[in-house]
Coordinates of all heavy atoms in Angstrom, one line a residue:
Y358 N -10.4 -2.0 2.1 CA -11.0 -1.7 3.4 C -10.2 -2.4 4.4 O -10.1 -3.6 4.5 CB -12.5 -2.1 3.4 CG -13.4 -1.3 2.6 CD1 -13.5 -1.5 1.2 CD2 -14.1 -0.2 3.1 CE1 -14.4 -0.8 0.4 CE2 -14.9 0.6 2.3 CZ -15.1 0.3 1.0 OH -15.9 1.1 0.2
Y359 N -9.5 -1.5 5.2 CA -8.5 -2.1 6.2 C -9.0 -1.8 7.6 O -9.4 -0.8 8.0 CB -7.2 -1.4 6.0 CG -6.2 -1.7 7.1 CD1 -5.5 -3.0 7.1 CD2 -5.9 -0.9 8.2 CE1 -4.6 -3.3 8.1 CE2 -5.0 -1.2 9.2 CZ -4.4 -2.4 9.1 OH -3.5 -2.7 10.1
T360 N -8.8 -2.9 8.5 CA -9.0 -2.7 9.9 C -8.0 -3.6 10.6 O -7.6 -4.7 10.1 CB -10.4 -3.1 10.4 OG1 -10.7 -4.5 10.0 CG2 -11.5 -2.2 9.9
R361 N -7.6 -3.2 11.8 CA -6.9 -4.1 12.7 C -7.6 -4.2 14.0 O -7.9 -3.1 14.6 CB -5.5 -3.5 13.0 CG -4.6 -4.4 13.9 CD -3.2 -3.9 13.9 NE -3.0 -2.5 14.2 CZ -2.9 -2.0 15.4 NH1 -2.9 -2.8 16.5 NH2 -2.7 -0.7 15.6
K362 N -8.0 -5.4 14.4 CA -8.9 -5.6 15.6 C -8.2 -6.4 16.6 O -7.3 -7.2 16.3 CB -10.2 -6.2 15.2 CG -11.0 -5.4 14.2 CD -12.3 -6.2 13.8 CE -13.2 -5.4 12.8 NZ -14.4 -6.1 12.4
D363 N -8.7 -6.3 17.9 CA -8.2 -7.1 18.9 C -9.1 -8.4 19.0 O -10.1 -8.5 18.2 CB -8.1 -6.4 20.3 CG -9.5 -5.9 20.8 OD1 -10.5 -6.3 20.3 OD2 -9.5 -5.0 21.7
E364 N -8.9 -9.2 20.0 CA -9.7 -10.4 20.1 C -11.1 -10.2 20.4 O -12.0 -11.0 20.0 CB -9.1 -11.3 21.3 CG -7.7 -11.9 21.0 CD -7.1 -12.6 22.1 OE1 -7.3 -12.2 23.3 OE2 -6.5 -13.7 21.9
S365 N -11.5 -9.1 21.0 CA -12.9 -8.8 21.3 C -13.6 -8.2 20.1 O -14.8 -8.0 20.1 CB -13.0 -7.8 22.5 OG -12.5 -6.5 22.1
G366 N -12.9 -7.9 19.0 CA -13.5 -7.3 17.8 C -13.4 -5.8 17.8 O -13.9 -5.1 16.9
K367 N -12.7 -5.2 18.8 CA -12.6 -3.7 18.9 C -11.6 -3.3 17.8 O -10.5 -3.8 17.6 CB -12.1 -3.3 20.2 CG -11.9 -1.8 20.4 CD -11.3 -1.4 21.7 CE -11.1 0.1 21.8 NZ -10.5 0.4 23.2
I368 N -12.0 -2.2 17.0 CA -11.1 -1.7 16.0 C -10.0 -0.9 16.6 O -10.3 0.1 17.3 CB -11.9 -0.9 15.0 CG1 -13.0 -1.7 14.3 CG2 -11.0 -0.2 14.0 CD1 -13.9 -1.0 13.3
L369 N -8.8 -1.3 16.3 CA -7.6 -0.6 16.8 C -7.1 0.4 15.8 O -6.4 1.4 16.1 CB -6.5 -1.6 17.2 CG -6.9 -2.6 18.3 CD1 -5.8 -3.6 18.5 CD2 -7.4 -2.0 19.6
A370 N -7.3 0.1 14.5 CA -6.8 1.0 13.4 C -7.7 0.7 12.2 O -8.2 -0.4 12.0 CB -5.4 0.7 13.1
G371 N -7.8 1.7 11.3 CA -8.6 1.6 10.1 C -10.1 1.9 10.3 O -10.6 2.3 11.4
R372 N -10.8 1.8 9.2 CA -12.2 2.1 9.1 C -12.9 1.0 8.3 O -12.4 0.6 7.3 CB -12.5 3.5 8.5 CG -11.9 4.7 9.2 CD -12.9 5.2 10.2 NE -14.2 5.6 9.6 CZ -14.4 6.9 9.3 NH1 -13.5 7.8 9.4 NH2 -15.6 7.2 8.7
E373 N -14.1 0.6 8.8 CA -14.9 -0.4 8.0 C -15.7 0.3 7.0 O -16.2 -0.4 6.0 CB -15.7 -1.2 9.0 CG -14.9 -2.2 9.8 CD -15.8 -3.1 10.6 OE1 -16.9 -2.6 11.1 OE2 -15.5 -4.3 10.8
D374 N -16.0 1.6 7.1 CA -17.0 2.2 6.2 C -16.3 3.0 5.1 O -17.0 3.5 4.2 CB -17.9 3.2 7.0 CG -17.1 4.2 7.8 OD1 -15.9 4.0 8.2 OD2 -17.6 5.3 8.0
L375 N -15.0 3.2 5.2 CA -14.3 4.0 4.2 C -13.1 3.2 3.6 O -12.4 2.6 4.4 CB -13.8 5.3 4.8 CG -14.8 6.4 5.0 CD1 -14.1 7.6 5.7 CD2 -15.5 6.8 3.7
P376 N -12.8 3.3 2.3 CA -11.6 2.6 1.8 C -10.4 3.3 2.2 O -10.3 4.5 2.4 CB -11.9 2.6 0.3 CG -12.7 3.9 0.1 CD -13.6 4.0 1.3
T377 N -9.3 2.6 2.2 CA -7.9 3.1 2.5 C -7.2 3.1 1.2 O -7.1 2.1 0.5 CB -7.2 2.2 3.5 OG1 -7.8 2.3 4.8 CG2 -5.7 2.7 3.7
Q378 N -6.6 4.3 0.8 CA -5.8 4.4 -0.4 C -4.3 4.2 0.1 O -3.9 4.8 1.0 CB -6.0 5.8 -1.0 CG -7.4 6.1 -1.5 CD -7.8 5.1 -2.6 OE1 -7.0 4.6 -3.4 NE2 -9.1 5.0 -2.8
S379 N -3.6 3.4 -0.6 CA -2.2 3.1 -0.2 C -1.4 2.8 -1.5 O -1.9 2.7 -2.6 CB -2.2 1.9 0.8 OG -0.9 1.8 1.3
K380 N -0.1 2.6 -1.3 CA 0.8 2.1 -2.4 C 1.9 1.3 -1.7 O 2.3 1.5 -0.6 CB 1.3 3.3 -3.2 CG 2.1 4.3 -2.4 CD 2.6 5.4 -3.3 CE 3.3 6.5 -2.6 NZ 3.7 7.7 -3.5
Y381 N 2.3 0.3 -2.5 CA 3.2 -0.7 -2.1 C 4.4 -0.9 -3.1 O 4.1 -0.7 -4.3 CB 2.6 -2.1 -1.9 CG 1.8 -2.2 -0.6 CD1 0.6 -1.6 -0.4 CD2 2.3 -2.9 0.5 CE1 -0.2 -1.8 0.7 CE2 1.6 -3.1 1.7 CZ 0.4 -2.5 1.8 OH -0.4 -2.6 2.9
N382 N 5.5 -1.2 -2.6 CA 6.7 -1.6 -3.5 C 6.8 -3.1 -3.4 O 6.8 -3.7 -2.3 CB 8.0 -0.9 -3.0 CG 8.1 0.5 -3.4 OD1 7.3 1.0 -4.2 ND2 9.0 1.2 -2.8
T383 N 7.0 -3.7 -4.6 CA 7.2 -5.1 -4.7 C 8.5 -5.4 -5.4 O 8.6 -4.9 -6.6 CB 6.1 -5.8 -5.4 OG1 4.8 -5.6 -4.8 CG2 6.3 -7.4 -5.5
D384 N 9.5 -6.0 -4.8 CA 10.8 -6.2 -5.4 C 10.9 -7.5 -6.1 O 10.5 -8.6 -5.6 CB 11.9 -6.2 -4.3 CG 12.2 -4.8 -3.8 OD1 11.8 -3.9 -4.4 OD2 12.8 -4.7 -2.7
V385 N 11.4 -7.5 -7.4 CA 11.6 -8.6 -8.2 C 13.1 -8.8 -8.3 O 13.8 -7.9 -8.7 CB 11.0 -8.5 -9.6 CG1 11.0 -9.8 -10.3 CG2 9.5 -8.0 -9.5
I386 N 13.6 -10.0 -8.0 CA 15.1 -10.2 -7.9 C 15.6 -11.2 -8.8 O 15.0 -12.3 -9.0 CB 15.4 -10.6 -6.4 CG1 14.9 -9.5 -5.4 CG2 16.9 -10.8 -6.3 CD1 15.0 -9.9 -4.0
Y387 N 16.7 -10.9 -9.5 CA 17.4 -11.9 -10.3 C 18.8 -12.0 -9.7 O 19.5 -11.0 -9.5 CB 17.5 -11.5 -11.7 CG 18.2 -12.5 -12.6 CD1 17.5 -13.5 -13.2 CD2 19.6 -12.3 -12.9 CE1 18.2 -14.5 -14.0 CE2 20.2 -13.2 -13.8 CZ 19.5 -14.3 -14.3 OH 20.2 -15.2 -15.1
I388 N 19.3 -13.3 -9.5 CA 20.6 -13.5 -9.0 C 21.6 -13.5 -10.1 O 21.7 -14.4 -11.0 CB 20.7 -14.9 -8.3 CG1 19.7 -14.9 -7.2 CG2 22.1 -15.0 -7.7 CD1 19.7 -13.8 -6.2
Q389 N 22.4 -12.4 -10.2 CA 23.3 -12.2 -11.3 C 24.7 -12.9 -11.1 O 25.3 -13.4 -12.0 CB 23.6 -10.7 -11.5 CG 24.4 -10.3 -12.7 CD 24.6 -8.8 -12.8 OE1 24.6 -8.1 -11.8 NE2 24.8 -8.4 -14.0
D390 N 25.2 -12.8 -9.8 CA 26.5 -13.4 -9.5 C 26.4 -14.0 -8.1 O 26.4 -13.3 -7.2 CB 27.6 -12.4 -9.6 CG 29.0 -13.0 -9.6 OD1 29.1 -14.1 -9.1 OD2 29.9 -12.3 -10.0
R391 N 26.4 -15.3 -8.1 CA 26.3 -16.0 -6.8 C 27.5 -15.7 -5.9 O 27.3 -15.8 -4.6 CB 26.2 -17.5 -7.0 CG 24.9 -17.9 -7.7 CD 24.7 -19.4 -7.8 NE 23.4 -19.7 -8.4 CZ 22.9 -20.9 -8.3 NH1 23.4 -21.8 -7.5 NH2 21.7 -21.2 -8.8
E392 N 28.6 -15.5 -6.4 CA 29.8 -15.3 -5.6 C 29.8 -14.0 -4.8 O 30.5 -13.9 -3.8 CB 31.1 -15.3 -6.4 CG 31.3 -16.6 -7.1 CD 32.6 -16.6 -8.0 OE1 33.2 -15.5 -8.0 OE2 32.9 -17.7 -8.5
L393 N 28.9 -13.1 -5.2 CA 28.8 -11.8 -4.5 C 27.6 -11.8 -3.5 O 27.4 -10.8 -2.8 CB 28.6 -10.7 -5.5 CG 29.8 -10.4 -6.4 CD1 29.4 -9.3 -7.4 CD2 31.0 -10.1 -5.7
L394 N 26.8 -12.8 -3.4 CA 25.6 -12.8 -2.6 C 26.0 -12.7 -1.1 O 26.9 -13.4 -0.6 CB 24.8 -14.1 -2.8 CG 24.1 -14.2 -4.1 CD1 23.3 -15.5 -4.2 CD2 23.1 -13.0 -4.3
A395 N 25.2 -11.9 -0.4 CA 25.4 -11.7 1.0 C 24.5 -12.6 1.8 O 24.8 -12.9 3.0 CB 25.2 -10.3 1.4
D396 N 23.5 -13.2 1.2 CA 22.5 -14.0 1.9 C 22.4 -15.4 1.2 O 22.0 -15.5 0.1 CB 21.1 -13.3 1.9 CG 20.1 -14.0 2.8 OD1 20.4 -15.2 3.2 OD2 19.1 -13.4 3.2
E397 N 22.8 -16.4 1.9 CA 22.9 -17.7 1.3 C 21.5 -18.3 1.0 O 21.4 -19.3 0.3 CB 23.6 -18.7 2.3 CG 22.9 -18.9 3.6 CD 23.7 -19.9 4.5 OE1 24.9 -20.2 4.2 OE2 23.2 -20.3 5.5
R398 N 20.5 -17.6 1.5 CA 19.1 -18.1 1.2 C 18.8 -17.9 -0.3 O 17.9 -18.5 -0.8 CB 18.1 -17.3 2.0 CG 18.1 -17.7 3.5 CD 17.1 -16.8 4.3 NE 17.3 -15.4 4.2 CZ 16.6 -14.5 4.8 NH1 15.5 -14.8 5.5 NH2 16.9 -13.2 4.7
D399 N 19.6 -17.1 -0.9 CA 19.3 -16.8 -2.4 C 20.1 -17.7 -3.3 O 19.9 -17.6 -4.5 CB 19.8 -15.4 -2.7 CG 18.9 -14.3 -2.1 OD1 17.7 -14.5 -2.0 OD2 19.5 -13.3 -1.6
L400 N 20.8 -18.7 -2.7 CA 21.7 -19.5 -3.6 C 20.9 -20.4 -4.6 O 21.4 -20.9 -5.5 CB 22.6 -20.4 -2.7 CG 23.7 -19.6 -2.0 CD1 24.4 -20.6 -1.1 CD2 24.6 -18.9 -2.9
A401 N 19.6 -20.6 -4.3 CA 18.8 -21.5 -5.1 C 18.0 -20.7 -6.2 O 17.2 -21.3 -6.9 CB 17.8 -22.3 -4.3
L402 N 18.3 -19.4 -6.4 CA 17.5 -18.6 -7.2 C 18.1 -18.3 -8.6 O 17.4 -17.7 -9.4 CB 17.2 -17.2 -6.5 CG 16.5 -17.3 -5.1 CD1 16.3 -15.9 -4.6 CD2 15.2 -18.1 -5.2
G403 N 19.3 -18.7 -8.8 CA 19.9 -18.4 -10.1 C 19.5 -19.4 -11.2 O 18.8 -20.4 -11.0
L404 N 20.1 -19.2 -12.4 CA 19.8 -20.1 -13.5 C 20.9 -21.1 -13.6 O 22.1 -20.8 -13.5 CB 19.7 -19.3 -14.8 CG 19.3 -20.0 -16.1 CD1 17.8 -20.5 -15.9 CD2 19.4 -19.0 -17.3
N405 N 20.6 -22.4 -13.9 CA 21.6 -23.4 -14.0 C 21.7 -24.0 -15.4 O 20.7 -24.0 -16.2 CB 21.2 -24.6 -13.0 CG 21.4 -24.1 -11.6 OD1 20.5 -23.5 -11.0 ND2 22.4 -24.4 -10.9
C406 N 22.8 -24.6 -15.7 CA 23.0 -25.2 -17.0 C 22.1 -26.4 -17.1 O 22.1 -27.3 -16.2 CB 24.5 -25.6 -17.1 SG 24.8 -26.6 -18.6
P407 N 21.4 -26.6 -18.2 CA 20.5 -27.8 -18.3 C 21.3 -29.1 -18.5 O 20.7 -30.2 -18.4 CB 19.7 -27.4 -19.6 CG 20.6 -26.5 -20.4 CD 21.3 -25.7 -19.3
N408 N 22.6 -29.0 -18.8 CA 23.4 -30.2 -19.1 C 24.1 -30.7 -17.9 O 23.9 -31.9 -17.4 CB 24.4 -30.0 -20.2 CG 25.2 -31.2 -20.5 OD1 24.7 -32.3 -20.7 ND2 26.5 -31.1 -20.6
C409 N 24.9 -29.8 -17.3 CA 25.7 -30.3 -16.1 C 25.2 -29.7 -14.8 O 25.7 -30.1 -13.7 CB 27.2 -29.9 -16.3 SG 27.5 -28.1 -16.2
G410 N 24.3 -28.8 -14.8 CA 23.7 -28.3 -13.6 C 24.5 -27.1 -13.0 O 24.2 -26.6 -11.9

Side-chain angles (χ1 to χ4, degrees):
Y358 287 84
Y359 170 80
T360 57
R361 180 167 56 86
K362 299 180 180 179
D363 61 16
E364 291 178 320
S365 67
K367 178 183 177 181
I368 296 178
L369 304 176
R372 295 274 297 269
E373 289 187 323
D374 59 331
L375 286 177
T377 295
Q378 300 293 336
S379 186
K380 57 184 177 181
Y381 281 76
N382 285 346
T383 304
D384 286 345
V385 191
I386 302 171
Y387 180 84
I388 304 307
Q389 184 180 28
D390 191 340
R391 295 185 174 201
E392 295 181 358
L393 297 179
L394 289 179
D396 192 338
E397 64 181 11
R398 291 179 299 180
D399 290 321
L400 291 177
L402 302 180
L404 187 64
N405 294 79
C406 172
N408 180 48
C409 69

